Amino acid sequence: IAPRLPLLYSTADWKVLINQVSVLPEYRRKGLANAMVRRVIGNAHGKSPVITLDVMDGNPSKKLYSELGFVAGCGYSDYVVES
């Protein structure tokens, strides 16, 4: 698992937001991301009716999230301000 926090999420009164899921390349395809997201889902069960996450287009993890029951919401584009 990555030396930084591999899973970041936050809670509000009405939803849980998964901010980041990261697994080092050598540990991928071993079910770690699946287990981490399932843990958040389990912890949120009965406490929050909504769990959200953001996934960039082209991210292969979209398949995992779909298998875990997430559905696509509204799309948006990244806007960057260059200094």
Side-chain angles (χ1 to χ4, degrees):
I1 300 175
R4 60 192 165 148
L5 296 174
L7 176 69
L8 297 176
Y9 69 97
S10 56
T11 60
D13 290 338
W14 59 277
K15 74 172 183 175
V16 171
L17 169 61
I18 297 175
N19 302 92
Q20 174 182 320
V21 178
S22 59
V23 178
L24 288 172
E26 61 266 28
Y27 295 104
R28 292 180 186 160
R29 312 287 310 156
K30 298 182 187 306
L32 295 173
N34 185 310
M36 289 189 287
V37 174
R38 283 182 183 277
R39 169 81 50 102
V40 172
I41 292 169
N43 288 343
H45 185 71
K47 299 174 189 165
S48 175
V50 178
I51 301 172
T52 63
L53 55 84
D54 294 328
V55 182
M56 306 238 349
D57 282 339
N59 186 329
S61 65
K62 288 172 84 170
K63 181 177 184 272
L64 166 67
Y65 302 135
S66 177
E67 291 171 355
L68 290 172
F70 289 89
V71 295
C74 60
Y76 64 90
S77 297
D78 284 338
Y79 290 93
V80 178
V81 175
E82 294 183 13
S83 54

